Amino acid sequence: MRAGPVIAVALRLLQQFRRDRRTLGLVFGAPIVILTLLGALMRGSTTATPHVATVNEDTATLGQTVAGYLEQQGGFSKQSSRASAESAMRAGKLDGYVVFPRTFTASATISHKFNEELRIEGGSQATRGYLQQQLAAAELRAFIGAQPKPPQVPVDAPKVTYLHGGAGLDGLDYLGAAFIGVVVFFLVFIVTSVVFLRERTQGTLERLMASPIRRGELVLGYMLALGLLTFLQSVVVLAFSLAVIHVHNEGSVLLVLVFTGLMGLGAANLGIFVSVFSRSEFQAVQFVPIVVAPQLFLAGLIFPVDSEPLVLRIISNVLPLTYGIRGLRDVMIRGSGLGSGEVIRDLLVLLLFAGLAVAAAAASLRRRVA
């Protein structure tokens, strides 16, 4: 094998990369941006403490002591009754609460079981573990203060009930609701940016712009085709998620389709817009780590938005994917509908994003191919 031709081919390819500043920026810049985000999230994020409360129906010393220890912890508040705690949880102000019944003191001895009750909202996996951990620590602390020796007999886990979902929900149920929208957003963005780039590079768009068809009519025509594709993709993704891998869903399937449809519509027009800045399919794909990857980190898919550093939290609150993920979880896990203010807010934000993306796509149409 001759070294000369091999070196010549390698040098020619390196020269092409040297002239392509966008590719060099992607190769060296995108990993730095992604790793910076990851580092800020993993080292700068704080643990999101659930909003929980105590309801003390036991007027004797032990119940008051344990409730007092819990209320000293961050995130715990005091509710006067089960009804008030349940109302606060349904209003979204509490993630859960613990009830000390009237019989708590009578049965809470070293030789008997505790009989406290936990009520969990069910929208997050972290609440149950946090409540049980804090409750066990408070009860042990109360016993050490009341007994000459720590308790030697283990007690049973408290009774746990859920407002939404249940103990059977796993990680797939919480991630699956978000992934349905993420998959649609990601794939529609990729397909649209590549397809529309071909329309430009093959001269199809230039010929259409030279015809009597108006710019708005052209955009609506593309939107109709891409909208139908997005709808069919959403149906397939949702049907597979619910029927095959059995992702939990308490809400309206139609409302889930509305969310994924708006996310797909925004992604499609965003793909049309970014295709202006691409001259090849390879360059079109380069926008994935710039447009999609940061949203995957910041939109609450992996890290809760409430636990992010303040600067990243501000950025998260302007990303469309944040509202899509939040809305899908509200519908599928909590069973929320159009009567929920949070669901309406998320839909309006996605609708606004789709409208802005349509306007940007229409403005990007030119008579000359980029």
Side-chain angles (χ1 to χ4, degrees):
M1 181 179 295
R2 297 175 299 172
V6 174
I7 295 175
V9 171
L11 290 175
R12 184 187 66 83
L13 187 59
L14 290 175
Q15 286 289 339
Q16 290 180 355
F17 278 116
R18 186 179 66 84
R19 291 190 293 266
D20 190 350
R21 295 180 180 178
R22 184 176 303 169
T23 299
L24 291 176
L26 172 72
V27 171
F28 297 107
I32 293 176
V33 172
I34 292 175
L35 289 174
T36 300
L37 285 176
L38 188 61
L41 286 169
M42 297 194 71
R43 291 184 173 174
S45 298
T46 57
T47 302
T49 303
H51 298 287
V52 288
T54 62
V55 178
N56 185 24
E57 298 175 345
D58 172 36
T59 58
T61 304
L62 187 57
Q64 291 180 345
T65 302
V66 177
Y69 286 150
L70 288 175
E71 290 159 14
Q72 293 174 8
Q73 305 300 317
F76 273 90
S77 60
K78 184 177 182 180
Q79 291 289 329
S80 59
S81 65
R82 296 177 190 242
S84 64
E86 186 73 14
S87 177
M89 189 167 67
R90 290 181 180 274
K93 299 178 181 179
L94 287 179
D95 297 311
Y97 58 91
V98 54
V99 178
F100 299 101
R102 297 183 185 279
T103 57
F104 178 74
T105 303
S107 61
T109 64
I110 294 180
S111 58
H112 293 81
K113 303 175 182 178
F114 288 115
N115 61 343
E116 68 276 7
E117 302 171 19
L118 299 186
R119 178 72 167 158
I120 310 295
E121 188 268 344
S124 171
Q125 288 180 296
T127 304
R128 176 175 177 173
Y130 176 81
L131 268 176
Q132 289 181 326
Q133 180 183 14
Q134 297 297 329
L135 184 60
E139 289 171 343
L140 181 60
R141 183 180 174 186
F143 255 130
I144 290 176
Q147 303 289 336
K149 294 182 179 180
Q152 302 297 319
V153 180
V155 296
D156 287 353
K159 176 184 177 182
V160 182
T161 58
Y162 291 83
L163 178 61
H164 302 296
L169 267 64
D170 56 17
L172 179 61
D173 293 310
Y174 291 97
L175 286 176
F179 266 116
I180 290 173
V182 170
V183 167
V184 171
F185 186 93
F186 175 76
L187 294 179
V188 169
F189 175 79
I190 291 292
V191 170
T192 304
S193 57
V194 172
V195 167
F196 210 81
L197 176 66
R198 290 179 180 175
E199 294 283 284
R200 293 178 183 274
T201 56
Q202 293 176 359
T204 304
L205 181 61
E206 188 175 32
R207 291 191 294 271
L208 288 173
M209 292 293 293
S211 69
I213 189 172
R214 297 177 180 177
R215 182 181 299 184
E217 295 170 341
L218 182 59
V219 173
L220 288 176
Y222 280 113
M223 281 180 54
L224 181 62
L226 294 171
L228 179 61
L229 178 64
T230 300
F231 174 76
L232 294 176
Q233 183 192 51
S234 300
V235 170
V236 171
V237 170
L238 183 58
F240 183 85
S241 300
L242 297 180
V244 179
I245 60 176
H246 304 292
V247 174
H248 177 80
N249 177 42
E250 286 191 14
S252 167
V253 174
L254 181 60
L255 192 54
V256 175
L257 286 175
V258 171
F259 266 101
T260 55
L262 286 175
M263 294 172 72
L265 181 63
N269 286 280
L270 188 61
I272 293 175
F273 175 71
V274 300
S275 68
V276 176
F277 308 99
S278 305
R279 296 181 180 274
S280 65
E281 294 180 5
F282 176 68
Q283 289 186 349
V285 176
Q286 290 177 359
F287 283 96
V288 172
I290 300 174
V291 176
V292 179
Q295 297 198 63
L296 296 181
F297 287 113
L298 299 178
L301 177 66
I302 304 173
F303 303 94
V305 174
D306 292 340
S307 69
E308 296 174 359
L310 179 59
V311 175
L312 296 183
R313 202 182 315 151
I314 294 174
I315 298 174
S316 298
N317 288 329
V318 299
L319 297 176
L321 209 57
T322 300
Y323 297 90
I325 290 175
R326 187 181 297 163
L328 286 172
R329 281 177 171 162
D330 281 343
V331 173
M332 298 186 69
I333 296 177
R334 295 183 172 91
S336 301
L338 294 178
S340 168
E342 288 78 9
V343 170
I344 296 296
R345 176 205 59 197
D346 295 335
L347 284 173
L348 289 177
V349 171
L350 289 177
L351 187 61
L352 175 62
F353 166 68
L356 292 176
V358 170
S364 71
L365 296 180
R366 301 171 184 172
R367 293 186 179 276
R368 292 184 180 181
V369 179

